[in-house]
């Protein structure tokens, strides 16, 4: 009897489903960052707005990377519904707190896929995910650094103005990168 | 373990898994599966079989059992781009799920056998 399933696809049903969930997660991230870009722009934080526009674009690229990988491996990539995106924030700081939360949850879900792939010896997908593990290092670093600015600069006086300017300059250029 | 049905007009079908309520056969010549269930034999290619699996596995059987509303406990399994539709009672859903679960275990076993016997044999 032919091994028809393996002939058609490299991915197990479970991994394919997890990857499709990640497609949705990246699409959500992109939309969340877009909403943040809008909020910052409306409130006069132009550098932060620019920063979030860039992040939104990156998340879109992440989404497509997962999407194309699923298709390349013989799976069925599902275009996700993205709804319920938060549009309003109570403060400048809350925007960055949410941004870090979002990145942490993305890291967690990529770890979950990684663990699943290891358990079924899908090293091919593990290797594909390596890029994202490294990316999450940078993503969490940048989100954490932005929040740190609220501590080191302080929110009093022209603090917000100063924080905004520095957000535009955040880069991950560590020796460990 | 494997029973083979042959008739002059049909290519060889191999029995993948059977229960008291149905059976699944694989046809290597056509690269598809035939499901003998609920009084009909229906052919499924890889995509459709995956969709059927997803549709059946996602039915919340427990919730349906506890459902006290007067709606008839009938499930309509419609699979997009697939020729077959199932209209099943809850008991049939349970039976089909059991049949599919067994089928996928056997297909996985077949995959392992291929790995061990042919792909990594030296
Ligand atoms: Fe991402
Ligand atoms: Fe990100």
């Amino acid at each position: 009897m032919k091994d028809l399933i393996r002939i058609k696809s490299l991915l197990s049903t479970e991994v394919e489903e997890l990857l499709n969930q990640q497609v949705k997660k990246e699409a959500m991230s992109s939309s969340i960052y877009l909403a943040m870009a809008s909020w910052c722009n409306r409130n006069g934080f132009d550098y932060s707005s620019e920063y979030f526009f860039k992040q939104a674009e990156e998340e879109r690229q992440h989404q497509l990377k997962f999407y194309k990988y699923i298709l390349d491996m013989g799976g069925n990539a599902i275009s996700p519904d993205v709804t319920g995106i938060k549009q309003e924030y109570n403060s400048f700081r809350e925007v960055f707190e949410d941004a870090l939360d979002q990145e942490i949850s993305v890291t967690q879900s990529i770890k979950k896929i990684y663990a699943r792939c290891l358990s079924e010896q899908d090293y091919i997908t593990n290797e594909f995910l390596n890029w994202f593990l490294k990316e999450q290092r940078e993503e969490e670093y940048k989100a954490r650094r932005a929040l740190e600015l609220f501590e080191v600069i302080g929110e009093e006086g022209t603090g917000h103005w100063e924080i905004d300017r520095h957000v535009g300059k955040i880069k991950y250029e560590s020796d460990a990168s | 373990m494997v029973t083979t049905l042959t008739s002059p007009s049909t290519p060889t079908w191999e029995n993948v898994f059977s229960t008291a309520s149905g059976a699944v056969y694989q046809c290597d010549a056509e690269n598809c599966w035939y499901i003998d269930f609920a009084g009909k034999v229906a052919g499924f290619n890889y995509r459709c079989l995956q969709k059927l699996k997803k549709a059946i596995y996602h039915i919340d059987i427990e919730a349906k059992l506890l459902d006290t509303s007067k709606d008839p406990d009938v499930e309509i399994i419609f699979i997009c781009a697939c020729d077959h539709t199932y209209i099943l009672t809850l008991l049939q859903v349970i039976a089909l799920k059991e049949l599919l679960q067994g089928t996928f275990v056997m297909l996985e076993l077949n995959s392992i056998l291929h790995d061990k016997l042919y792909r990594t044999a030296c």
Side-chain angles (χ1 to χ4, degrees):
Chain A
M1 193 163 84
K2 281 192 200 168
D3 186 3
L4 282 182
I5 293 195
R6 187 62 181 84
I7 289 168
K8 292 290 179 185
S9 175
L10 179 144
L11 304 169
S12 72
T13 322
E14 292 75 14
V15 168
E16 183 179 318
E17 197 169 338
L18 286 173
L19 290 173
N20 268 313
Q21 283 169 15
Q22 193 60 33
V23 165
K24 180 167 182 154
K25 219 158 173 139
E26 300 291 345
M28 296 274 292
S29 289
S30 185
S31 291
I32 289 168
Y33 281 133
L34 212 51
M36 289 172 171
S38 165
W39 189 92
C40 288
N41 183 290
R42 278 181 279 133
N43 287 277
F45 302 117
D46 285 2
Y47 290 102
S48 301
S49 177
E50 223 12 76
Y51 171 83
F52 286 126
F53 270 118
K54 264 193 225 130
Q55 289 297 119
E57 197 53 47
E58 271 190 23
E59 299 304 343
R60 169 81 181 166
Q61 293 308 320
H62 296 169
Q63 183 199 340
L64 292 179
K65 240 185 161 88
F66 277 109
Y67 205 76
K68 288 180 179 160
Y69 178 75
I70 296 169
L71 291 173
D72 287 352
M73 296 306 106
N76 179 14
I78 297 164
S79 181
D81 280 337
V82 176
T83 50
I85 301 299
K86 177 170 165 182
Q87 305 290 339
E88 289 302 328
Y89 292 87
N90 293 309
S91 66
F92 189 31
R93 188 186 187 124
E94 188 183 285
V95 177
F96 290 95
E97 285 170 347
D98 279 20
L100 178 57
D101 273 350
Q102 180 61 22
E103 288 304 338
I104 290 173
S105 95
V106 167
T107 305
Q108 289 310 105
S109 77
I110 290 173
K111 277 161 67 178
K112 199 172 115 191
I113 308 172
Y114 203 95
R116 172 76 212 187
C117 292
L118 277 184
S119 80
E120 51 181 82
Q121 299 191 322
D122 180 356
Y123 301 123
I124 312 278
T125 304
N126 277 132
E127 194 271 336
F128 164 76
L129 289 173
N130 282 339
W131 185 89
F132 285 94
L133 290 181
K134 191 156 187 203
E135 177 69 11
Q136 281 318 106
R137 245 210 266 173
E138 176 173 341
E139 298 278 73
E140 281 204 26
Y141 171 88
K142 290 198 299 188
R144 210 167 270 122
R145 177 65 188 146
L147 260 186
E148 210 172 43
L149 293 175
F150 286 81
E151 305 297 332
V152 293
I153 296 173
E155 296 189 59
E156 307 76 29
T158 55
H160 279 174
W161 179 78
E162 197 67 51
I163 291 166
D164 182 46
R165 284 185 22 158
H166 279 85
V167 165
K169 295 182 203 153
I170 295 175
K171 277 194 197 81
Y172 181 56
E173 283 176 338
S174 152
D175 286 346
S177 72
Chain B
M1 180 193 86
V2 173
T3 43
T4 304
L5 291 183
T6 29
S7 73
S9 59
T10 52
T12 310
W13 289 8
E14 280 189 70
N15 179 250
V16 181
F17 189 71
S18 315
T19 64
S21 47
V24 175
Y25 303 91
Q26 178 170 315
C27 175
D28 280 355
E30 297 171 299
N31 288 335
C32 73
W33 292 271
Y34 287 94
I35 299 181
D36 179 1
F37 187 80
K40 65 171 176 179
V41 179
F44 288 83
N45 64 19
Y46 172 74
R47 286 271 156 252
C48 290
L49 191 71
Q50 294 291 333
K51 287 179 191 166
L52 178 68
K53 179 188 184 188
K54 204 170 169 186
I56 297 295
Y57 283 31
H58 277 73
I59 296 172
D60 188 343
I61 292 168
E62 199 178 338
K64 303 254 175 216
L65 284 171
L66 296 171
D67 186 0
T68 51
S69 68
K70 282 188 179 153
D71 304 336
D73 67 342
V74 167
E75 285 295 317
I76 299 170
I77 316 291
F78 171 76
I79 298 154
C80 197
C82 179
D83 301 336
H84 315 291
T85 302
Y86 284 104
I87 299 165
L88 305 175
T89 66
L90 205 49
L91 282 175
Q92 284 176 309
V93 169
I94 294 168
L96 183 54
K97 189 171 177 180
E98 189 193 353
L99 180 61
L100 289 177
Q101 279 170 335
T103 297
F104 281 100
V105 168
M106 293 313 286
L107 291 177
E108 209 172 298
L109 179 61
N110 184 42
S111 202
I112 292 169
L113 289 175
H114 272 261
D115 277 342
K116 301 288 180 209
L117 294 176
Y118 312 118
R119 291 180 183 133
T120 58
C122 47

